[in-house]
Amino acid sequence: MVEINQHEYDILVDTEVIVDVVFGHTFISLRDFLNLGEGDVVSLNKQAGEGGDVYVNDRIIGTGDIIVIDEKIAVRIQEAMDNDNVVRYFFEEGL
């Protein structure tokens, strides 16, 4: 296990990352995709209320539920990796 000193930790945690939330996926043909129009519905692989997977820089770090705050969509984190493991992971990947 790699040890992270305080200076390296401070630099790493101030780094901006991309956060994505995926609430499901499906497989459809390109033809079907191109035929989609306004109002069409695409079914996903998850059940309603199941929540989504939270990714940081393309790595899953937890799960969350969609909520609305001041007319904007947000995610309430339900489960997440331990902070030390997240920092260690990104340190070892050379974020």
Side-chain angles (χ1 to χ4, degrees):
M1 180 167 23
V2 177
E3 288 296 318
I4 305 170
N5 65 42
Q6 188 63 45
H7 178 70
E8 292 167 327
Y9 180 89
D10 291 343
I11 291 172
L12 185 64
V13 296
D14 286 335
T15 303
E16 289 191 15
V17 295
I18 297 170
V19 177
D20 293 305
V21 181
V22 178
F23 285 95
H25 67 270
T26 194
F27 294 96
I28 62 173
S29 70
L30 181 57
R31 178 182 313 282
D32 290 343
F33 178 78
L34 294 173
N35 286 326
L36 291 173
E38 186 174 330
D40 287 343
V41 176
V42 177
S43 295
L44 302 176
N45 66 323
K46 290 195 173 189
Q47 299 295 316
E50 197 172 331
D53 298 325
V54 179
Y55 290 81
V56 173
N57 286 7
D58 297 324
R59 303 291 185 190
I60 189 166
I61 59 96
T63 60
D65 294 326
I66 193 166
I67 62 172
V68 178
I69 299 176
D70 297 327
E71 298 183 21
K72 292 189 179 184
I73 295 175
V75 175
R76 178 182 295 126
I77 302 298
Q78 296 299 321
E79 295 181 43
M81 286 177 66
D82 173 87
N83 289 349
D84 289 339
N85 286 331
V86 172
V87 170
R88 182 168 288 107
Y89 172 78
F90 285 110
F91 179 78
E92 290 172 358
E93 290 292 311
L95 176 70

